[in-house]
């Protein structure tokens, strides 16, 4: 494994001009994903996690745009490619799995037709070879009797099976990076566990990197190697999943972890973070979390903390800065 | 577990069944020679909810959780069985009686964006039950009560003049809770009250619901698909699978010692936040189509313990150490030998 990360996001800023002024949905986000690694991106609604994913594959709807920063895939910039160049990267090098499997499949084409089309767009295969490739993919994602079912239409599959088809589509051209945006949110827990298994197994077998976007800390804990916690368009904390889940350093991550009821231990009351995430129109100056933070002091209200690296993790909090200073 | 006396029981559900008719129109059926098609969403479900407890119903999509909620509050008519509220059957009550009973229970819905009228001010939304049940002598006292309710749920009395769109999801759910409380109910049916909310907001709402329960002595029927939320809230838990109750057990004990194989499977599927690396059985298969459910025990195609009897007969709820469970494997003591091979399902 080389030292260059497969995906490198540097100070990414995504902005939307509106009548009320420019809104910054993603504000200076940086992270790396290595080959074969699963990076979880977690946060509450409006934290900018999906927007970060969309920015990486160039799917931001105008008038939104990447205002500054870089996205490097395998050392090469992909944030400034033309539409046609980007189309070749999307699907071929970067696969995408969306939340709702019904809307990501075309209802008018059979599963086989959609897979064959995707395969042939990216790989130099004949119709027949592409069909065999598609069948192998469906087998791999665990669709029972794939040979018989591949000529069915999406509506003939259940939710979990449809999501498997979507994963097969994302993997069709053997991408190096898969971005999965809430892949299990629309599914029941028992099906969710199966889909997580498929995603994990396929990526480790193929050595693909995965960016897993979800609001569910449990899914991250099961799946990811490292996790980035986002708040108000910024990365609050990033590090190995075990460290972040069990010894969170950022007050927001600590609150987030405490607010999740768990199966393992009893607590009469859940930790609650007062208030809610600020709207994009009124993000406070300094640290975006300061009005809700129990430890906030003057500096937090004035200066914005940048991520402070200690070992494998980085925490954007002035408290962590003090710790390092001492 | 001692059987509760009748005075402890607030809601008793007996043999509740609801069948939905999914048939095509009569003429199409005649022309296409198709039979009638029905879906049994709730199939002979019986349980009781005791005063002051939180009874939770869990299950995956299509297990009939929400249908049971609607049947209990009488938003749907049952196809069979009955619901007794404090000993009275609401469907048999005279209209004056029914109205009086109606004020004793309320409902909180899943989506606070859909359950509040966008054209009404929050004050009017909360005052509606007060008006409907004549709980205030005049407008001023109704407004005063609305202000108190808003403060009870953690909002400001001045918020009464705002419209729902001015609030975030969590705040809207607080408004929905205030509306439910305004009729001074004893019993609140909560249908997935936090599943549309972010976790930090969910924690606020769950804490609020517990505080209110202590303050007003409320009884909750809590419906959720999220097992960790259910564990946090529930005194007793009923597990539903394809419209049937497969297990009813004491809350905490269910998580330590699940009896029914489906309950174990559900628990195993929950992502493990503590990363203990516990051994888990692989989840197999999906919920079958409820229009054409399997014979016998409806879980048998996915069950690692299923045998010939499970395919033919349907098990009834039988007492266990921590409650009741409808499973032949538990009854016959086959449960003790966990069969690791994942037999059967596709």
């Amino acid at each position: 494994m080389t030292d260059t990360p497969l995906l490198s996001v540097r100070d990414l800023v995504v902005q939307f001009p509106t009548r009320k002024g420019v809104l910054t949905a993603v504000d200076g986000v940086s992270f790396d994903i290595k080959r074969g690694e699963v990076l979880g991106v977690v946060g509450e609604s409006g934290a900018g996690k999906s927007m970060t994913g969309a920015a990486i594959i160039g799917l931001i709807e105008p008038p939104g745009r990447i205002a500054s920063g870089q996205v490097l895939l395998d050392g090469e910039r992909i944030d400034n490619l033309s539409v046609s160049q980007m189309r070749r990267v999307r699907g071929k090098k970067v696969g995408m799995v969306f939340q709702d499997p019904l809307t990501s499949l075309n209802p008018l084409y059979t599963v086989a037709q959609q897979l064959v089309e995707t395969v042939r767009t990216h790989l130099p295969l004949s119709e027949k070879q592409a069909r065999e490739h598609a069948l192998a993919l469906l087998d791999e994602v665990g669709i029972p009797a794939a040979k018989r079912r591949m000529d069915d239409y999406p509506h003939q599959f259940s939710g979990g099976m449809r999501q498997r088809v979507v994963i097969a589509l994302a993997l069709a051209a053997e991408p190096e990076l898969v971005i999965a945006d809430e892949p299990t949110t629309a599914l029941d827990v028992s099906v969710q566990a199966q889909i997580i298994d498929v995603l994990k197994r396929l990526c480790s077998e193929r050595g693909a990197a995965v960016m897993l976007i979800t609001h569910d800390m449990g899914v991250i804990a099961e799946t990811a190697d490292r996790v980035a916690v986002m708040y108000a368009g910024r990365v609050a904390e990033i590090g190995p999943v075990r460290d972040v889940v069990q010894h969170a350093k950022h007050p927001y991550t600590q609150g987030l972890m405490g607010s999740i009821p768990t199966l393992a231990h009893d607590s009469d009351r859940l930790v609650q973070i007062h208030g809610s995430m600020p709207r994009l129109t009124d993000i406070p100056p300094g640290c975006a979390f300061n009005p809700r933070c129990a430890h906030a002091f003057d500096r937090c209200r004035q200066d914005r903390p940048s991520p402070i690296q200690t070992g494998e993790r980085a925490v954007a909090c002035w408290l962590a800065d003090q710790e390092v200073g001492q | 577990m001692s059987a509760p006396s009748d005075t402890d029981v607030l809601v008793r559900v007996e043999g509740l069944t609801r069948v939905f008719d999914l048939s095509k129109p009569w003429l199409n059926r005649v022309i296409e020679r198709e039979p009638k098609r029905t879906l049994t969403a709730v199939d002979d479900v019986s349980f009781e909810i005791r005063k002051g407890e939180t009874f939770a119903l869990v299950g995956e999509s299509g297990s009939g959780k929400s249908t049971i909620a609607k049947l209990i509050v009488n938003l749907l008519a049952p196809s069979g069985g009955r619901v007794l509220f404090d000993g009275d059957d609401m469907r048999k009550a005279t209209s004056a009686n029914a109205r009086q009973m109606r004020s004793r229970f309320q409902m909180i819905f899943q989506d606070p964006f859909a359950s509040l009228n966008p054209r009404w001010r929050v004050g009017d939304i909360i005052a509606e039950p007060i008006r409907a049940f004549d709980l205030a002598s005049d407008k001023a006292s109704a407004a005063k009560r609305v202000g108190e309710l808003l403060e009870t749920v953690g909002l400001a009395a001045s918020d009464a003049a705002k419209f729902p769109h001015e609030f975030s999801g969590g705040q809207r759910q607080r408004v929905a809770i205030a509306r439910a409380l305004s009729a001074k109910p004893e019993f609140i049916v909560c249908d997935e009250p936090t599943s549309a909310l972010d976790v930090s907001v969910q924690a606020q709402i769950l804490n609020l619901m517990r505080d209110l329960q202590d303050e007003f002595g409320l009884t909750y029927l809590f419906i959720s698909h999220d097992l960790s939320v259910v564990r946090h809230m529930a005194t007793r838990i009923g597990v539903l699978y394809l419209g049937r109750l497969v297990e009813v057990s004491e809350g905490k004990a269910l998580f330590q010692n699940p009896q029914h194989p489906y309950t174990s499977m559900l628990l195993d599927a929950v992502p493990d936040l503590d990363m203990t690396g516990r051994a888990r059985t692989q989840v197999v298969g999906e919920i079958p189509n409820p229009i054409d459910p399997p014979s016998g025990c409806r879980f048998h195609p996915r069950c690692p313990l299923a045998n010939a009897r499970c395919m033919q007969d349907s098990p009834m709820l039988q007492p266990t150490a921590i409650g009741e469970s409808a499973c032949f494997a538990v009854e016959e003591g086959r449960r003790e030998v966990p069969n690791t091979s994942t037999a059967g399902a596709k």
Side-chain angles (χ1 to χ4, degrees), chain A residues 189 261, chain B residues 58-59 192 194 202 222 224-231 270:
Chain A
V189 273
Chain B
V58 289
E192 304 260 13
T194 61
Q202 165 173 289
F222 191 92
S224 179
H225 68 280
D226 187 331
L227 285 155
S228 41
V229 168
V230 161
R231 180 180 195 275
V270 178

Side-chain angles (χ1 to χ4, degrees), chain B residues 33 69 96 100 102 106 134 142 174 187 205 222 234 283 300 305:
Chain B
R33 292 170 193 273
Q100 200 271 326
R102 190 68 190 75
Q106 286 291 319
D134 291 324
R174 288 175 193 266
F187 175 56
I205 297 296
F222 191 92
V283 175
H300 84 255
L305 302 169

Side-chain angles (χ1 to χ4, degrees), chain A residues 257-263 267 270, chain B residues 199 202 206 226 228-229 232 273:
Chain A
M257 296 311 305
S259 66
I260 304 169
T262 67
L263 292 184
S267 56
L270 300 165
Chain B
V199 279
Q202 165 173 289
L206 294 180
D226 187 331
S228 41
V229 168
H232 183 73
L273 200 57

Side-chain angles (χ1 to χ4, degrees), chain A residues 131-209:
Chain A
R131 210 182 138 82
E132 273 160 26
H133 189 73
L135 181 61
L137 278 167
L138 290 175
D139 270 333
E140 245 186 297
V141 294
I143 291 191
K147 191 160 192 153
R148 188 165 49 80
R149 298 223 58 191
M150 71 189 292
D151 290 309
D152 283 352
Y153 288 90
H155 76 267
Q156 291 166 295
F157 289 82
S158 67
M161 286 300 151
R162 267 182 225 141
Q163 195 61 298
R164 287 171 200 262
V165 172
V166 174
I167 293 176
L169 269 172
L171 295 173
E174 292 169 1
E176 295 162 69
L177 173 70
V178 176
I179 298 179
D181 190 355
E182 305 269 8
T184 58
T185 308
L187 307 173
D188 278 318
V189 273
S190 68
V191 181
Q192 163 175 300
Q194 299 172 14
I195 296 294
I196 291 177
D197 278 345
V198 169
L199 209 56
K200 248 162 81 175
R201 177 169 55 80
L202 291 182
C203 294
S204 64
E205 277 171 14
R206 290 154 179 258

Side-chain angles (χ1 to χ4, degrees), chain A residues 285-307:
Chain A
C287 171
F289 187 59
N290 84 67
R292 301 174 71 189
C293 182
H295 313 285
F297 49 99
D298 285 346
R299 195 179 180 186
C300 306
R301 295 181 194 104
Q302 285 150 17
D303 303 336
R304 178 178 161 187
S306 47

